[in-house]
Amino acid sequence: MALDLIVRNARLPDLRQGVDIACQAGRIVALEHAITAEAARVIDAGGRLVAPPFVDPHFHLDATLSMGIPRLNRSGTLLEGIALWGELKPLLTPEAVIERAMRYCDLAVAQGLLAIRSHVDVCDDRLVGVEALLDVRARVSGYLDLQLVAFPQDGYFRSPNGVANLKRALDMGVDVVGGIPHFEATMADGAASVKALCEIAAERGARVDMHCDETDDPQSRHIETLAAETRRLGLAGRVAGSHLTSMHSMDNYYVSKLLPLMAEAGVAAIANPLINIVIQGRHDTYPKRRGMTRVPELRAHGVPVAFGSDCVMDPWYPLGQADMLEVAAMGLHVAQLTGLEDMRWCFDAVTTEAARIIGLEGYGLEVGCHADMVLLQARDAIEAIRLKPPRLAVIRRGKVIAEAAERSSRLALDGRPARLDPADYAPPGGL
Ligand SMILES: [Zn+2]
């Protein structure tokens, strides 16, 4: 019997080379050199990089592609963005949110991004975003894993119906418990919100992912409470702190205590480099803080870390294109991760590490995993981050669901015709 698909002569992110990947009934059934079986479809990777799909562990699908509605963010600040979102919310309709979210999912698939954890604002009493994204989750389930987080944007306690609406959203089928402790009215309220939300997650067997300490305030320390509650309630491995930007500004002595506490508790960290680098440090003159959390130090202490994209063309961020390699590249630069192993890790931060943190089942390039993968026009993970190359084939459950043409340019300079591929400028044999 012929297999469904064989991808031949792949190079994997972990540096295995010349690998054939056989797929049958949606799963990887063999991964070895020179598979002799026949297949209905064969793709020759030609020694190029085949990676598991990109995973975005932090996004806002209810706001994406809404840039300019009802007006543009003139200052580019977080506060004007939040004000703008407040103006947009009453105007939202389920149809418009669904249309924008579906368009974004199309773009994501074309970029090889096949799993997204999206926060959804639950502070609008109509729960328009929740209704819309539950619909989108069902519509895209055949080709994209969409996880939803109940996110009380205006504060769990601070907004009038935050407590009730978050419960309603979970009852409607939202997967993960969110929070925003630094936005509550007081530090005490913030800590109380972390406690209450973790208790809800424990009761429901849900995961937790909070916007936590997304400030430049060195005293914003809700991550400490999140770690303590994770430990108290036995939630290890199911809790993520998103952003954690205050950690950038914290006292070094305090951080030396905090990092082991996070590792012991089993809390993961999700940094959002594109957004952190433009939103944080806005009150600084010079030196101006970068704002991204302490990625190398978290990793060194054994805390799982991933990179998310957070926003694309919405009230907070006017750029972006669902390209997790752009996110990895920015994270690499902001955290100064230019060592060889560090650069390779930046690729993991938008693939395997992100998948592990959000708890994706059957993810990875191993026998028995889902037959989900991306063929890139690059020799290795580091070159992929450098070039952000075309996704030549995007494969889901053993079927090609998106394809792109190879990229090259033709030059005619001083009578020297040449075909130019940016990959020609890489070291021989790749990295
Ligand atoms: Zn966010």
Side-chain angles (χ1 to χ4, degrees):
M1 188 181 70
L3 296 163
D4 295 335
L5 172 71
I6 298 179
V7 179
R8 293 205 182 276
N9 192 18
R11 182 164 181 162
L12 309 188
D14 63 11
L15 305 180
R16 279 178 282 174
Q17 296 189 57
V19 176
D20 290 356
I21 306 168
C23 308
Q24 180 69 19
R27 297 272 175 181
I28 296 173
V29 294
L31 193 133
E32 56 203 48
H33 296 285
I35 292 172
T36 52
E38 301 284 306
R41 179 156 186 189
V42 176
I43 295 175
D44 180 9
R48 286 171 164 159
L49 178 67
V50 175
F54 295 106
V55 177
D56 188 350
H58 188 113
F59 195 63
H60 293 264
L61 202 51
D62 51 355
T64 195
L65 305 184
S66 67
M67 188 175 134
I69 311 171
R71 63 182 176 83
L72 291 166
N73 182 340
R74 293 283 165 191
S75 65
T77 59
L78 174 64
L79 291 180
E80 187 174 346
I82 292 173
L84 191 43
W85 178 238
E87 293 169 37
L88 174 56
K89 261 197 272 192
L91 308 176
L92 292 176
T93 64
E95 295 74 24
V97 176
I98 289 169
E99 189 274 329
R100 288 194 289 263
M102 290 299 293
R103 265 200 291 142
Y104 185 82
C105 289
D106 290 348
L107 180 60
V109 169
Q111 301 276 34
L113 169 54
L114 300 187
I116 298 173
R117 173 181 274 183
S118 174
H119 295 254
V120 51
D121 190 350
V122 297
C123 288
D124 158 28
D125 287 341
R126 300 177 302 149
L127 294 184
V128 168
V130 173
E131 182 191 332
L133 294 192
L134 286 169
D135 188 289
V136 170
R137 187 179 68 184
R139 290 188 198 207
V140 301
S141 63
Y143 54 88
L144 188 149
D145 295 306
L146 178 58
Q147 229 181 52
L148 299 176
V149 186
F151 174 48
Q153 169 82 69
D154 302 329
Y156 180 61
F157 291 132
R158 187 173 168 183
S159 68
N161 299 316
V163 173
N165 287 349
L166 186 129
K167 181 176 183 302
R168 281 172 62 207
L170 293 173
D171 289 343
M172 285 166 72
V174 169
D175 311 278
V176 179
V177 179
I180 187 165
H182 56 275
F183 197 73
E184 303 293 347
T186 65
M187 278 290 190
D189 278 3
S193 77
V194 171
K195 191 165 182 286
L197 290 161
C198 285
E199 284 173 358
I200 291 171
E203 277 164 27
R204 292 176 178 251
R207 289 174 174 270
V208 176
D209 187 342
M210 293 191 192
H211 286 66
C212 193
D213 301 327
E214 191 185 1
T215 73
D216 297 316
D217 175 5
Q219 301 299 326
S220 184
R221 292 173 173 188
H222 296 298
I223 181 56
E224 180 185 270
T225 307
L226 185 60
E229 289 303 302
T230 301
R231 193 169 188 157
R232 181 176 74 87
L233 296 164
L235 297 173
R238 288 163 45 193
V239 176
S242 277
H243 292 295
L244 304 177
T245 51
S246 70
M247 200 184 292
H248 190 95
S249 299
M250 283 173 183
D251 171 71
N252 287 334
Y253 181 83
Y254 173 71
V255 173
S256 75
K257 177 192 169 197
L258 175 64
L259 293 174
L261 285 174
M262 289 178 68
E264 285 166 33
V267 175
I270 299 172
N272 296 291
L274 292 167
I275 305 308
N276 299 153
I277 198 69
V278 294
I279 294 287
Q280 304 308 137
R282 286 278 179 149
H283 294 263
D284 293 358
T285 55
Y286 288 92
K288 197 183 275 286
R289 286 168 287 183
R290 295 194 183 99
M292 194 167 80
T293 195
R294 302 191 189 198
V295 172
E297 293 78 8
L298 284 159
R299 286 186 60 216
H301 280 81
V303 177
V305 185
F307 289 149
S309 69
D310 204 3
C311 303
V312 168
M313 298 183 75
D314 68 9
W316 297 276
Y317 187 62
L319 304 169
Q321 51 174 345
D323 186 352
M324 294 310 292
L325 289 171
E326 188 178 14
V327 174
M330 181 59 74
L332 184 156
H333 284 82
V334 176
Q336 300 180 331
L337 292 167
T338 43
L340 203 58
E341 292 305 323
D342 288 340
M343 289 195 285
R344 280 196 200 108
W345 175 82
C346 288
F347 191 88
D348 297 343
V350 293
T351 52
T352 49
E353 290 299 291
R356 183 156 70 103
I357 289 172
I358 73 169
L360 277 186
E361 299 286 340
Y363 177 91
L365 292 184
E366 298 297 341
V367 171
C369 290
H370 292 301
D372 301 349
M373 63 202 85
V374 186
L375 167 59
L376 294 116
Q377 190 186 348
R379 263 173 286 200
D380 53 62
I382 296 171
E383 188 171 86
I385 292 174
R386 179 172 78 90
L387 300 178
K388 300 162 201 72
R391 282 59 166 170
L392 301 175
V394 178
I395 295 162
R396 166 89 169 181
R397 307 297 193 255
K399 293 191 175 62
V400 176
I401 58 171
E403 290 175 282
E406 290 188 21
R407 181 167 72 193
S408 70
S409 309
R410 287 179 200 287
L411 303 183
L413 299 175
D414 307 327
R416 294 182 290 114
R419 187 172 165 278
L420 185 70
D421 180 343
D424 295 340
Y425 294 79
L431 292 170

